[in-house]
């Protein structure tokens, strides 16, 4: 039996193993440096309150991805429902779906995301609405309209992310809702970020699309852009539940997952047209294989390759590829200060948002999750407490990263109070969690990425998959698709070029953040 060595048990690595077992006679062995599966798509559990690190909506335009998710966790009940009650006594909203919610299911959830800007709420993604016009005021709304039409008349050459955004939203709207938040997320001006980021994350969205969506919805039609979807699937106990189920299926079908096993070295041999990897060394053991599918960060991958396989320039590019790291603070509160002024009914009467994007310049907080609204089963007592996830973007080793957990939690509490989300005496408990290399970045050494990719492609049995394996800010479904495509390439039905081409089509969009 041939063997495939897969590095990483995140969405890409697990999907690759699952597809190999279903469609080939190749045995997958996954080497995972952590003691859990799912990567940053895992669910962390703190005393019964579960945290989705970064937020993961289960929605894709690819039918095979949607089918695979439901193959692992069936969709519960009617197509749409929201008002899940933990006591299971109350009939569910929207059609009276069966109130007996099984454990291994996907829930169908309402998507609500808003921007907090100048202590007011705006729709996210930015969309045309009466509330937006009222919050901005007549003068600012008119200025945004004029700026947009000026941008339409004179398109910029897209040398960077700022050019990309101004071409789609106009300079005034860009400066109002995009510029400062982008700087907060990436620590760089959009002028310094490659336009590729926009091509992958917001390519399908523009003010014209938002206006079109406004009129479509007013006529009872669905939104076209993925960013404008109003519902999504979500595992009852968070995204990690699905990856744990997939890992169990992989092991049941004969695949192996080795935990606490970081790859430190590869063995390779040169061929007429490039090279072949023959083995990976991890945890003091050597794992020989016929195929190697890597989702590990390219900096680590290149450092583990034997001397002479990759050129010094390629190694240098890989070593200097930039990332943004991530710190999240979970805060359990007994109440919120902000009130639900929407028409959406929620458990406990809280605001209905899954995410709140914090545009306020006087705090470092970038984004706020309300886990009750992702799934009430994420919270031990969702009827009487609110479980919040505060997201901070940083760079490993910087001032935020070096703060102690206690100091960071104190800062996070103060910022929530400052922007009016909670009263300080509402906090019951808190936890701090750091995540390395959460977001591949598109600046500095990224400009030389084509050189590195060309040398990776010379690996005749190497397939780079997933977010870090391709240094591409992919979402879960795209990461899964890179794995599926790699398996098809092994079977002879696709090419390595097809693997790299996932998430480059012009009409596919997922919004920033996860």
């Amino acid at each position: 039996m041939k063997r495939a060595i897969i590095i990483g048990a995140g969405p890409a690595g697990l999907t690759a193993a699952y597809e190999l077992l279903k469609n080939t006679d190749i045995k997958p062995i996954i080497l995972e440096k952590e003691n859990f599966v799912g990567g940053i798509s895992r669910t962390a559990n703190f005393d019964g309150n579960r945290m989705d690190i970064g937020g993961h909506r289960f929605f894709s335009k690819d039918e095979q991805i949607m089918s695979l998710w439901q193959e692992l966790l069936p969709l519960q009940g009617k197509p749409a429902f929201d008002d899940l009650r933990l006591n299971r006594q109350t009939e569910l909203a929207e059609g009276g779906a069966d109130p007996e919610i099984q454990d291994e299911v996907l829930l169908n959830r309402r998507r609500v995301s808003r921007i907090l800007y100048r202590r007011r709420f705006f729709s996210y993604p930015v969309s045309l609405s009466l509330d937006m016009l009222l919050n901005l005021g007549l003068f600012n709304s008119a200025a945004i309209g004029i700026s947009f039409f000026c941008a339409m008349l004179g398109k910029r050459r897209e040398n960077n992310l700022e050019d990309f955004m101004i071409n789609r939203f106009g300079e005034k709207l860009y400066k109002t809702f995009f510029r400062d938040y982008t700087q907060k997320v990436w620590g760089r001006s959009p002028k310094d970020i490659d336009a590729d980021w926009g091509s992958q994350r917001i390519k399908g969205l523009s003010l014209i699309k938002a206006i079109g969506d406004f009129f479509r919805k007013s006529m009872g039609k669905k939104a076209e852009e993925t960013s404008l979807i109003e519902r999504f699937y979500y595992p009852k106990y968070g995204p990690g539940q699905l990856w744990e189920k997939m890992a169990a299926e992989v092991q049941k079908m004969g695949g192996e997952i080795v935990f606490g096993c970081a790859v430190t070295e590869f063995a390779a041999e040169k061929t007429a047209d490039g090279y072949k990897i023959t083995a990976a060394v991890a945890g003091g053991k050597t794992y020989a294989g016929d195929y190697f599918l890597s989702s590990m960060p390219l900096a680590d991958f290149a450092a583990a390759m034997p001397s002479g396989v990759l050129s010094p320039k390629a190694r240098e590019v890989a070593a200097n590829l930039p990332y943004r790291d991530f710190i999240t603070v979970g805060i359990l509160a007994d109440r919120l200060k902000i009130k639900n002024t929407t028409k959406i009914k929620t458990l406990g009467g809280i605001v209905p948002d899954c995410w709140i994007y914090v545009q306020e310049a006087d705090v470092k907080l970038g984004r706020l999750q309300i886990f009750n609204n992702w799934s009430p089963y994420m919270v031990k007592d969702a009827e009487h407490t609110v479980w919040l996830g505060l997201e901070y973007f940083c760079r490993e080793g910087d001032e935020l990263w070096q703060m102690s957990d206690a100091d960071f939690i104190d800062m996070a509490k103060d910022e929530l109070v400052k922007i009016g989300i909670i009263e300080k005496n509402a906090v019951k408990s808190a936890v701090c969690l750091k995540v390395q290399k959460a977001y591949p970045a598109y600046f500095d050494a990224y400009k030389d990425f084509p050189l590195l990719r060309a040398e990776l492609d010379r690996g005749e049995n190497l397939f780079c998959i997933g977010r870090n394996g391709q240094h591409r800010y992919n979402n879960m479904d795209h990461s899964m698709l890179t794995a599926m495509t790699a398996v098809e390439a092994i079977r002879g039905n696709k090419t390595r070029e097809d693997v790299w081409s996932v998430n480059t089509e012009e009409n596919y969009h997922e919004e920033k953040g996860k």
Side-chain angles (χ1 to χ4, degrees):
M1 179 179 288
K2 290 186 176 182
R3 300 205 306 178
I5 306 303
I6 301 171
I7 297 97
L14 287 170
T15 301
Y18 189 73
E19 291 296 308
L20 283 169
L21 288 163
K22 285 174 58 180
N23 299 304
T24 76
D25 59 358
I26 299 167
K27 178 179 179 176
I29 300 175
I30 302 178
L31 307 179
E32 170 54 55
K33 70 175 183 177
E34 304 291 353
N35 293 312
F36 52 79
V37 299
I40 63 170
S41 300
R42 74 186 188 275
T43 302
N45 191 330
F46 299 101
D47 191 29
N49 295 299
R50 294 173 169 86
M51 180 180 290
D52 180 348
I53 301 167
H56 295 83
R57 285 196 297 271
F58 285 70
F59 179 87
S60 178
K61 285 187 175 181
D62 192 282
E63 289 299 325
Q64 62 180 331
I65 296 295
M66 297 291 279
S67 296
L68 177 53
W69 284 334
Q70 292 185 63
E71 180 181 316
L72 293 165
L73 296 179
L75 183 62
Q76 170 70 34
K78 295 288 182 69
F81 54 84
D82 294 303
D83 194 16
L84 301 175
R85 302 288 179 175
L86 296 183
N87 59 20
R88 300 180 179 179
Q89 300 298 313
T90 305
E91 190 73 356
L92 301 175
E94 300 189 19
D98 183 358
E100 184 66 26
I101 306 301
Q102 304 300 318
D103 278 341
E104 291 193 346
V105 294
L106 287 172
L107 307 178
N108 189 310
R109 305 299 288 151
R110 184 190 297 273
R111 172 200 177 281
V112 179
S113 298
R114 290 185 292 176
I115 297 168
L116 185 65
Y117 176 62
R118 295 182 180 177
R119 307 311 196 253
R120 294 184 177 183
F121 281 113
F122 295 82
S123 296
Y124 182 88
V126 174
S127 59
L128 182 66
S129 67
L130 180 60
D131 284 345
M132 176 183 171
L133 299 178
L134 291 174
N135 284 340
L136 286 174
L138 181 61
F139 177 80
N140 282 328
S141 298
I144 285 172
I146 293 169
S147 173
F148 173 69
F149 284 112
C150 288
M152 294 299 98
L153 293 173
K155 291 282 189 179
R156 295 182 173 211
R157 182 177 179 180
E158 294 181 354
N159 295 317
N160 53 52
L161 185 58
E162 178 172 278
D163 297 332
F164 183 95
M165 288 182 170
I166 289 176
N167 279 346
R168 286 155 181 77
F169 298 97
E171 188 168 2
K172 178 68 174 176
L173 190 61
Y174 157 71
K175 288 182 176 178
T176 301
F177 286 119
F178 294 95
R179 183 184 61 185
D180 293 344
Y181 184 79
T182 301
Q183 175 100 25
K184 186 182 288 189
V185 172
W186 295 106
R188 293 291 188 93
S189 165
K191 292 180 181 178
D192 299 326
I193 300 175
D194 198 287
D196 279 2
W197 187 91
S199 297
Q200 288 179 253
R201 301 301 294 189
I202 56 175
K203 58 192 167 197
L205 189 62
S206 67
L207 192 54
I208 287 179
K209 291 287 182 70
I211 293 170
D213 177 69
F214 171 77
F215 287 108
R216 271 189 294 274
K217 288 196 289 187
S218 68
M219 294 185 289
K221 297 181 179 180
K222 292 182 178 180
E224 288 188 349
E225 287 304 317
T226 308
S227 67
L228 304 172
I229 61 167
E230 296 183 355
R231 307 204 69 88
F232 61 93
Y233 296 161
Y234 197 73
K236 178 178 177 179
Y237 295 115
Q241 183 182 12
L242 186 135
W243 306 120
E244 289 161 10
K245 179 66 180 295
M246 182 178 276
E249 291 298 314
V250 165
Q251 292 169 318
K252 188 185 301 182
M253 290 189 288
E256 292 184 30
I257 304 176
V258 187
F259 292 101
C261 194
V263 172
T264 56
E265 186 181 349
F266 289 102
E269 58 186 30
K270 291 188 177 182
T271 64
D273 298 318
Y275 59 90
K276 289 184 71 173
I277 300 176
T278 57
V281 178
K285 292 184 62 176
T286 298
Y287 295 86
D290 301 281
Y291 305 97
F292 291 79
L293 296 89
S294 174
S295 66
M296 67 192 293
L298 287 174
D300 299 335
F301 176 86
M305 287 293 283
S307 176
V309 176
L310 300 178
S311 70
K313 179 60 178 177
R315 286 177 174 272
E316 180 185 351
V317 173
N320 291 292
L321 285 174
Y323 298 85
R324 283 296 270 177
D325 303 291
F326 184 79
I327 302 174
T328 186
V329 175
I331 289 183
L332 187 68
D334 58 16
R335 64 189 181 282
L336 296 179
K337 184 177 180 180
I338 49 172
K339 303 301 181 184
N340 182 11
T341 58
T342 72
K343 295 179 180 179
I344 301 173
K345 294 181 179 180
T346 60
L347 189 62
I350 62 175
V351 292
D353 306 77
C354 301
W355 266 320
I356 296 174
Y357 291 85
V358 181
Q359 290 278 115
E360 309 294 14
D362 55 346
V363 294
K364 293 181 173 66
L365 175 62
R367 201 168 56 183
L368 174 67
Q369 290 193 77
I370 303 176
F371 295 115
N372 303 52
N373 295 327
W374 288 91
S375 165
Y377 298 94
M378 296 280 281
V379 190
K380 181 187 285 188
D381 183 4
E383 296 196 68
H384 304 103
T385 61
V386 187
W387 179 225
L388 306 171
L390 287 70
E391 301 179 356
Y392 291 84
F393 308 98
C394 61
R395 179 177 53 82
E396 185 178 357
D398 69 10
E399 181 182 358
L400 290 179
W401 190 267
Q402 293 185 44
M403 290 176 66
S404 69
D405 288 357
D407 288 343
F408 204 101
I409 288 170
D410 285 342
M411 179 192 73
K413 291 177 184 177
D414 290 341
E415 290 199 339
L416 275 190
V417 172
K418 186 174 186 178
I419 61 177
I421 303 295
I422 63 169
E423 301 283 2
K424 197 160 189 175
N425 62 4
V427 176
K428 297 170 69 68
S429 63
V431 66
C432 183
L433 186 65
K434 295 179 179 178
V435 181
Q436 295 172 301
K437 292 182 172 62
Y439 303 123
Y442 290 57
F443 44 78
D444 294 343
Y446 179 77
K447 69 182 185 299
D448 295 319
F449 185 78
L451 183 151
L452 174 60
R453 180 189 153 179
E455 297 203 19
L456 294 171
D457 283 347
R458 290 173 55 244
E460 296 175 8
N461 61 344
L462 168 65
F463 297 90
C464 295
I465 59 174
R467 177 179 282 194
N468 279 330
Q470 295 193 335
H471 199 82
R472 181 174 289 168
Y473 193 178
N474 283 332
N475 287 318
M476 282 189 306
D477 61 330
H478 294 130
S479 292
M480 294 174 70
L481 281 170
T482 64
M484 289 178 165
T485 308
V487 172
E488 287 303 298
I490 290 172
R491 298 177 67 196
N493 301 323
K494 296 281 186 178
T495 66
R496 187 173 283 100
E497 178 64 32
D498 292 324
V499 180
W500 287 105
S501 295
V502 171
N503 191 22
T504 58
E505 65 273 31
E506 285 300 317
N507 65 346
Y508 200 113
H509 164 82
E510 279 283 2
E511 69 182 74
K512 61 186 174 183
K514 276 343 212 234

